[in-house]
Amino acid sequence: NIMASGVIPQISAIFGPCAGGAVYSPALTDFIVMSKDTSYMFVTGPKVVKTVTGEEVTEEQLGGAVVHGSKSGVTSLIADNEEEGLLLIRKLLSYLPQNNLEDPPIAVCDDPIDRLDDSLNDIIPENPNKPYDIKNVIHSIVDYGEFLEIHRNYAQNVVVGFARFNGMPVG
């Protein structure tokens, strides 16, 4: 993992249990995809926690996809199931170069770069003290309105993700 860091994109898919020393490798990768209800990752399990602290926790509470996607921030993307997880990985890879010496892949795009979107006139309020959803702006200006949000449920005051402008991937 260390030698590949910054050289090739590293993506971990966790669709089942991942415990003990096996969790160190995914934690070092660039992106982690977990599936709801079937995957978890933790260094030590609920039985050890009960023995050491007396606290009873479930595998999901200790290291499930929702916990790592919303509280720890370890998980980049949460899928409903393994199939959706693989589709998310495929989508993520479509934005990334194969290594640090390549440019990201450019997609064919027939979404006009100069198109107008009147909804932008109303998304941002005139009063700068009023809030608005930046994701509405992003969806309005990127190719086909497609935006792959990373860490959707973590630190919701920040929006991170990938999109394209005229076929060119941007983050």
Side-chain angles (χ1 to χ4, degrees), residues 15 33 78-89 152:
F15 298 135
V33 179
I78 299 173
D80 285 331
N81 53 51
E82 188 172 333
E83 182 180 353
E84 183 186 18
L86 293 172
L87 291 172
L88 283 170
I89 292 170
R152 174 177 300 156

Side-chain angles (χ1 to χ4, degrees), residues 14 16-18 32-42 46 57-79:
I14 300 176
C18 183
I32 296 177
V33 179
M34 292 180 77
S35 57
K36 285 182 190 172
D37 303 323
T38 60
S39 65
Y40 56 82
M41 58 186 290
F42 43 70
V57 293
T58 66
E59 292 169 341
E60 181 64 33
Q61 292 169 325
L62 188 58
V66 173
V67 168
H68 283 309
S70 63
K71 295 189 191 241
S72 72
V74 170
T75 297
S76 312
L77 297 162
I78 299 173

Side-chain angles (χ1 to χ4, degrees), residues 62-123:
L62 188 58
V66 173
V67 168
H68 283 309
S70 63
K71 295 189 191 241
S72 72
V74 170
T75 297
S76 312
L77 297 162
I78 299 173
D80 285 331
N81 53 51
E82 188 172 333
E83 182 180 353
E84 183 186 18
L86 293 172
L87 291 172
L88 283 170
I89 292 170
R90 181 179 291 170
K91 185 77 170 168
L92 177 60
L93 285 170
S94 77
Y95 293 103
L96 304 174
Q98 292 185 34
N99 60 61
N100 63 345
L101 301 177
E102 289 186 6
D103 290 330
I106 297 174
V108 175
C109 179
D110 58 6
D111 190 7
I113 190 74
D114 60 350
R115 70 177 152 75
L116 300 177
D117 189 341
D118 290 333
S119 72
L120 288 170
N121 295 326
D122 301 319
I123 291 175

Side-chain angles (χ1 to χ4, degrees), residues 7-58:
V7 179
I8 60 170
Q10 297 180 76
I11 302 170
S12 295
I14 300 176
F15 298 135
C18 183
V23 301
Y24 293 118
S25 182
L28 293 174
T29 60
D30 301 308
F31 302 95
I32 296 177
V33 179
M34 292 180 77
S35 57
K36 285 182 190 172
D37 303 323
T38 60
S39 65
Y40 56 82
M41 58 186 290
F42 43 70
V43 175
T44 190
K47 289 180 184 177
V48 174
V49 171
K50 170 88 170 136
T51 302
V52 174
T53 68
E55 183 181 359
E56 290 191 30
V57 293
T58 66

